[in-house]
Amino acid sequence: MASPSLEFLCECLVAGLLDHYGIVRPPVPVREMLDAPPPDLTSDLCLTPGLPFGDALWLRLLRGQGTVFVNNALSEVEQRYAMARSLFTGLCDSKGGRAVGLPAVPNDRLRAQGASFARRLLMPEPLLPAEAASMSPQELADLFVVPLRVAEERLQELA
């Protein structure tokens, strides 16, 4: 039997996270997700501000805790996108993530895979407003608190 596609797995993860946190309108609170992960992910996800370089980075520390470090010097929209990408890395390295077939960490496509997940998480199709088709990418970026390029890429995926 063929494994499910990564796109399908990402959509399922997003649906589960939206349901777990009771999210019914944008913006998706990715920072809060990392501050208070679901109980079965507490050893795989937490948030630590203060990364002095880059944007965000997920690491498993020596004591075993998975942690997302984020650069607070970035704008909020860039931080949210970077945190969502790093959240994906943590999910991939979790016991459950490995069990459902998420990609191994590390891998050569992890950045692109994380970016795809982040777009789906931060701009989930169920949260798009009814008038989304008539809204500009900038209006959607503002509504979902994402960088303009992320909104443009997500709209292309949904077209």
Side-chain angles (χ1 to χ4, degrees):
M1 183 162 98
S3 298
S5 71
L6 182 57
E7 292 78 16
F8 175 78
L9 291 173
C10 287
E11 292 293 340
C12 291
L13 287 168
V14 167
L17 289 167
L18 294 177
D19 183 61
H20 176 80
Y21 291 100
I23 301 164
V24 295
R25 64 183 162 283
V28 171
V30 67
R31 184 179 303 274
E32 290 79 3
M33 290 176 175
L34 290 167
D35 278 336
D40 56 336
L41 292 171
T42 56
S43 66
D44 299 302
L45 297 171
C46 74
L47 180 64
T48 301
L51 185 69
F53 57 85
D55 51 18
L57 175 67
W58 179 89
L59 291 172
R60 188 161 306 276
L61 303 177
L62 290 177
R63 67 182 188 273
Q65 177 64 52
T67 303
V68 172
F69 295 89
V70 65
N71 185 339
N72 285 343
L74 298 174
S75 68
E76 180 64 17
V77 298
E78 291 294 342
Q79 283 185 44
R80 287 172 41 77
Y81 179 58
M83 287 185 290
R85 282 194 336 261
S86 294
L87 168 61
F88 177 73
T89 305
L91 292 171
C92 288
D93 197 60
S94 70
K95 181 179 177 183
R98 290 187 303 270
V100 299
L102 289 176
V105 174
N107 78 67
D108 293 339
R109 298 212 2 91
L110 189 59
R111 187 157 180 91
Q113 294 163 344
S116 176
F117 172 80
R119 290 189 301 272
R120 286 174 165 78
L121 177 65
L122 296 174
M123 291 186 70
E125 193 169 0
L127 299 189
L128 288 172
E131 65 278 4
S134 65
M135 295 173 72
S136 72
Q138 185 63 60
E139 290 171 316
L140 287 167
D142 292 344
L143 177 65
F144 285 92
V145 192
V146 298
L148 176 59
R149 71 183 185 284
V150 172
E152 291 169 340
E153 289 172 10
R154 183 66 174 136
L155 290 173
Q156 288 176 0
E157 289 171 345
L158 293 168

